[in-house]
């Protein structure tokens, strides 16, 4: 008698043979093979295709037996069946812990059924997507219903206006499912994107104490997320992503209908329209939810044919391209070229543009919309057919990849065994045949995507014919004398050095080992670059700088293609490298920044803080919080890309110094806010939320205080961040998760995680260097202080220099209430009455210590002036301002409203503490010195200049120091 696995491909047969006895030590149980259509051969085939199925049979056979008794795997998975199974689990629930356990047991059973039927191809794509989506709906609604009843017993029932009648009535939560959940197209191992809403404002009645409705629903939402997302001994149900809600992770967890409508009307972005196309009420009050959906419809679907959507669609297309290049996503069947996302993008593009007029397009399921596009003659039938076939193939392949280990992935496997599994699941003889079919589908999708989304603006700019001499020069086909004359006649200031560098590049080992395609691209690119260099005043010097980048991209010649196809980007590259060796180095270290050169308009127009927040939110939406490595890489790229735009704008003189520092500071603040969200979410997933005294969960109750240049809104291109961490939770209480820890431990770990994310060197470098020495008690103090401890230290133990530092401190990220509480403490400390003479002596003494350790040695002061540290430099101005702030804030409390030197000087003048003309002149001198430091940074130069530089400014600063700090 042959073995059950005899008909499997050899690698799979060997794999099953090796595990058969450990999975079935007493033989295959009758309950598994007795149903019609089930036998040992079927079981062997199933476990050859999925480690998840194999491990579930090995570890949870009792539960699979119960599943088999409820309905054979041969029979389809229907909504009624899933609902009846959930009701059986729910009947055993006797508390919140029991609810968590029931949901996870239900998931294990349902995943086993869905993945078995899908990988055996007993279920088609429609059944798999529908079953997975219905399962999610049941879990969300089932958990919500139980938790709502429990919350009402604790806090009372929320009351407010009915969204239809306006009469006061009980309020229930509405849960919107976004993305594939909203479209009933969920993957077998997907996370879920949700938005929580409630009909109207009001408060609870009948409870031990009243809560306003938003508080009630925020707490309910937190418990719902934990019920689904928290990893326990039984696993988890779904990873829950709430970042599509208004304002993302920093927004309220639950909003009223009116607040949602106002947000989308006033602030809704185009990409949020794109996301809202698939929104569906998946749980909670369905009747109220439909009212909400009707309210939001005008935001999504315009009454006219919305051609304005093309601009945002082009931006989204560009973002996709950048993401593919940055992450190397060609093996990702969702995000790579010709992948699932491009099909979704095409379909939703038509929905956004024409959905207001053609109501048939106001549906959610992609395959349904494709059919409508064909019937409306918006896409030709052959195109629709190819997109449909590709979508079905790609989604089936996606389920095969995920079902093997019940793991959320869209990456093609690299090991032979996994490739064999996928090929078998997809009904191919071998991996090569499967890969070839995949390649053909993706090529067709990529072509249609490009044809449909591309507009005239995307057409390649005409490159123009290059003179043949540039090719001869690069390929060393020109005599040296002729080459020298050629370069000299075209403006190269040092032809000899240029020829030597080109020869060195040609002899570079990497160049010598280039494959045919890479060599062809280099031979096309270099002549174009050499010609482009004639547009600047220093071609030879600029070439030296650009060659750093060329060497960096020799193995990644796709970047050369980008520049070849976008001559405008090559022009920007040459111009920026000509003006700044610092920018040249940044581009060489991170070639992905070349993407920023594609659009000259945006390159020289850096976004304000609100746009930065929106840009970062869009970029990070696709990265789960738990994927810390990718979060860190993306944050580093975001920072570098936006700093490049600021530097480019400064070089072009479109941004004055004050604005440069504003933008650099905004970038840091936006990054810090996101880092807090990531670190907090990571810890909450493990330990739950920190608790307050009333038992409610903390929203974070944590804040980052910026000191120094960050606090003073004076960041430079390479500034580190002086940070202090505070929180206002009770350190004696604990978190509410499965593995609770003390709040104090939670916040310490939160601080450590934030420093780790910022400080760690990754392939893309360091995000920011962090200095925590200004916290209470310095390096010997706690990493994170409570606000009470911070205030006590400032009142009782802080040195004068620490109060000087506080004058430049401000809250930069975190919980709004905690930030406001810090500002109140800062104001009170700075406004304390002080003995001015004693204060002056202490400030002068501290300044003398700094000069002794940091200033230019006396013997070299005729040769060198350190703009920052020497007498008559920036630090002298800062100390004058800080002394006056501390000396006079008790009499002039308005002085404390600013943390930056510029506005503090202006305020000192307005208050009469300093003569207005002195305040203005000191301000202008300060700006002149700082501008020089900024410009020198872009030239890779330090803050030391010639000994006779700024002689008049230094004399004035010395005179002010004497007037304020010595003679007063």
């Amino acid at each position: 008698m042959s073995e059950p696995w005899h008909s499997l491909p050899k690698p799979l047969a060997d794999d099953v043979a090796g595990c058969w006895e450990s999975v079935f030590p007493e033989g295959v149980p009758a309950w598994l093979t007795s149903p019609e259509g089930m036998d040992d051969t079927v079981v062997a085939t199933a476990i050859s295709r999925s480690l998840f199925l194999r491990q579930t049979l090995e570890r949870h056979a009792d539960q699979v037996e119960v599943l088999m008794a409820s309905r054979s795997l041969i029979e389809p998975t229907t909504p009624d069946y899933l609902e009846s199974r959930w009701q059986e689990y729910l009947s055993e629930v006797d508390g919140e812990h029991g609810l968590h356990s029931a949901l996870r047991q239900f998931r294990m059973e349902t995943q086993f059924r869905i993945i078995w039927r899908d990988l055996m191809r007993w279920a088609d794509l429609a059944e798999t997507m529908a079953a997975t989506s219905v399962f999610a709906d049941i879990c969300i609604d089932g958990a919500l219903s139980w938790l709502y009843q429990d919350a009402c017993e604790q806090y009372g029932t929320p009351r407010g206006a009915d969204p239809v009648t306006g009469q006061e009535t009980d309020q229930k939560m509405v849960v919107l499912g976004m993305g594939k959940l909203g479209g009933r197209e969920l993957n077998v191992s997907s996370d879920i994107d949700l938005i929580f809403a409630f009909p109207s404002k009001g408060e609870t009645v009948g409870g031990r104490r009243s809560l306003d409705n938003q508080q009630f629903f925020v707490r309910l939402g937190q418990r719902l997320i934990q019920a689904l997302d928290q990893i326990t001994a039984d696993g988890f149900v779904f990873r829950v992503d709430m970042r599509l809600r208004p304002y993302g992770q920093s927004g309220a967890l639950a909003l009223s209908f009116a607040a949602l409508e106002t947000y989308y009307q006033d602030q809704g972005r185009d990409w949020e329209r794109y996301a809202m196309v698939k929104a569906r009420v998946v749980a909670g009050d369905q009747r109220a939810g439909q009212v909400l959906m009707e309210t939001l419809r005008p935001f999504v679907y315009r009454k006219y044919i919305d051609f304005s959507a093309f601009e945002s669609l082009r931006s989204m297309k560009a973002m996709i391209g950048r993401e593919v290049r940055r992450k190397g996503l060609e093996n990702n069947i969702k995000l790579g070229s010709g992948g699932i996302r491009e099909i979704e993008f095409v379909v939703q593009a038509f929905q956004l543009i024409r959905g207001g007029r053609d109501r048939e397009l106001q549906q959610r399921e992609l395959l349904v919309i494709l059919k409508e596009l064909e019937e409306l003659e918006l896409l030709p039938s052959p195109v629709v057919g190819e997109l449909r076939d590709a979508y079905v193939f790609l989604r089936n392949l996606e389920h095969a990849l995920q079902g093997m280990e019940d793991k959320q992935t869209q990456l093609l496997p690299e090991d032979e065994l996994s490739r064999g599994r996928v090929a078998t699941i997809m009904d191919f003889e071998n991996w090569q045949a499967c890969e070839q079919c995949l390649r053909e589908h993706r090529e067709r999708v990529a072509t249609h995507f490009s044809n449909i989304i591309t507009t005239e603006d995307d057409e390649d700019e005409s490159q123009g014919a290059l003179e043949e001499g540039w090719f001869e020069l690069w390929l060393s086909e020109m005599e040296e004398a002729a080459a020298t004359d050629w370069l000299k006649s075209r403006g190269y200031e040092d032809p000899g050095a240029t020829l030597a560098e080109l020869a060195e590049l040609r002899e570079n080992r990497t160049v010598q080992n280039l494959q045919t395609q890479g060599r062809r691209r280099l031979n096309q690119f270099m002549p174009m670059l050499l010609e482009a260099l004639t547009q600047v005043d220093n071609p030879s010097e600029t070439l030296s700088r650009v060659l750093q980048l060329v060497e960096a991209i020799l193995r990644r010649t796709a970047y050369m293609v980008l520049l070849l196809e976008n001559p405008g980007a090559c022009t920007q590259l040459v111009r920026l490298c000509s003006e700044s060796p610092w920018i040249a180095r940044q581009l060489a270290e991170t070639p992905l920044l070349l993407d920023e050169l594609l659009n000259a308009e945006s390159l020289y127009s850096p976004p304000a803080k609100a746009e930065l927040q929106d840009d970062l939110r869009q970029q990070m939406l696709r990265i789960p919080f738990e994927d810390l490595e990718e979060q860190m890489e993306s944050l580093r790229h975001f920072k570098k890309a936006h700093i490049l735009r600021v530097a480019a704008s400064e070089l072009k003189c479109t941004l004055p110094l004050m604005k440069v520092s504003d933008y650099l500071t905004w970038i840091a603040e936006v990054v810090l806010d996101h880092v807090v969200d990531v670190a907090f979410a990571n810890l909450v997933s493990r330990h739950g939320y920190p608790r307050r005294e009333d038992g409610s969960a903390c929203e974070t109750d944590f804040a980052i205080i910026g000191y120094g240049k960050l606090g003073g809104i004076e960041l430079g291109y390479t500034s580190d961040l002086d940070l202090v961490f505070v929180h206002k939770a009770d350190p004696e209480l604990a978190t509410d998760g499965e593995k609770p820890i003390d709040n104090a431990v939670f916040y310490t770990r939160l601080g450590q995680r934030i420093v780790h994310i910022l400080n760690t060197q990754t392939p893309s470098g360091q995000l920011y260097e962090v200095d925590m020495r200004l916290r209470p008690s310095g390096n010997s103090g706690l990493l994170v202080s409570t606000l009470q401890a911070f205030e006590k230290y400032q009142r009782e133990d802080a040195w004068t220099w620490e109060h000087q530092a506080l004058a430049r401190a401000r809250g930069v990220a975190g919980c709004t209430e905690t930030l406001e509480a810090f500002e109140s403490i800062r104001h009170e400390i700075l406004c304390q009455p002080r003995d001015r003479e004693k204060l002056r002596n202490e400030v002068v003494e501290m300044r003398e210590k700094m000069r002794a350790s940091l200033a230019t040695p006396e013997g070299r002061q005729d040769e060198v002036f350190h703009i920052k540290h020497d007498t008559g430099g920036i630090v002298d101005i800062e100390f004058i301002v800080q002394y006056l702030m501390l000396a006079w804030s008790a009499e002039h409390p308005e002085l404390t409203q600013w943390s930056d030197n510029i506005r503090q000087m202006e305020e000192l003048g307005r208050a009469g503490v300093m003569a207005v003309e002195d305040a203005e002149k000191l301000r202008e001198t300060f700006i002149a010195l700082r501008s020089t430091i900024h410009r020198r940074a872009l030239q890779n130069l330090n803050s030391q200049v010639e000994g006779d530089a700024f002689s008049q400014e230094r004399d004035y600063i010395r005179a002010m120091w004497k007037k304020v700090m010595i003679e007063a």
Side-chain angles (χ1 to χ4, degrees), residues 186-375:
L186 208 57
N187 301 326
V188 295
S189 298
S190 180
D191 57 3
I192 52 176
D193 296 289
L194 305 178
I195 292 176
F196 298 155
F198 58 94
S200 62
K201 293 181 178 179
E203 59 183 30
T204 61
V205 295
R208 292 190 293 273
R209 68 185 190 86
S210 181
L211 287 179
D212 74 48
N213 284 355
Q214 184 165 42
Q215 283 181 298
F216 177 92
F217 287 111
V218 164
R219 293 184 185 185
L220 178 60
Q222 289 170 336
R223 293 174 68 187
L224 177 58
I225 292 168
Q226 286 184 311
L228 299 169
D229 186 278
Q230 196 167 67
I231 298 173
T232 73
D234 296 316
F236 68 101
V237 190
F238 286 101
R239 291 170 293 271
V240 178
D241 195 330
M242 299 297 299
R243 290 175 292 172
L244 286 177
R245 70 185 188 265
Y247 305 107
Q249 197 68 11
S250 60
L253 194 63
L255 288 173
S256 68
F257 288 7
L260 279 170
E261 183 180 7
T262 300
Y263 172 83
Y264 286 117
Q265 280 183 353
D266 296 347
Q267 301 181 51
R269 312 292 199 272
D270 286 313
W271 65 266
E272 288 176 304
R273 284 182 64 202
Y274 181 78
M276 195 57 73
V277 163
K278 284 189 179 289
R280 175 173 66 88
V281 180
V282 296
D285 190 335
Q286 289 283 343
R287 172 177 165 275
Q290 293 313 312
V291 174
L292 174 62
M293 294 307 297
E294 285 300 319
T295 303
L296 298 180
R297 189 183 299 273
F299 165 68
V300 184
Y301 298 110
R302 308 292 157 84
K303 292 180 180 177
Y304 47 85
I305 296 177
D306 185 14
F307 290 111
S308 69
F310 273 119
E311 183 58 41
S312 61
L313 295 173
R314 283 199 297 275
S315 299
M316 291 182 199
K317 179 191 172 190
M319 187 179 287
I320 289 173
R322 287 195 295 273
E323 190 173 11
V324 169
R325 280 192 290 274
R326 181 171 63 79
K327 296 182 182 176
L329 293 176
E330 286 311 316
N331 277 338
N332 188 305
I333 64 166
K334 176 183 176 182
L335 303 175
S337 176
I340 295 166
R341 180 190 280 176
E342 290 191 359
I343 304 174
E344 294 171 338
F345 193 87
V346 166
V347 170
Q348 287 172 285
F350 279 103
Q351 288 182 278
L352 284 180
I353 292 165
R354 305 191 69 99
R357 290 280 296 275
D358 298 314
R359 292 183 68 86
E360 302 94 324
L361 299 178
Q362 294 184 17
Q363 301 183 67
R364 300 178 183 90
E365 295 84 350
L366 183 140
L367 292 173
V368 173
I369 301 295
L370 268 178
K371 188 170 185 295
E372 295 293 346
L373 291 174
E374 182 179 15
E375 292 183 1

Side-chain angles (χ1 to χ4, degrees), residues 549-562:
L549 169 67
V550 174
E551 290 177 10
I553 63 175
L554 285 173
R555 297 186 189 278
R556 294 175 284 177
T557 54
Y559 289 113
M560 293 184 195
V561 175
L562 182 148

Side-chain angles (χ1 to χ4, degrees), residues 426 591 650 664 827 834:
M426 297 296 290
E650 182 171 14
L664 295 175
H827 176 77
R834 289 174 171 83

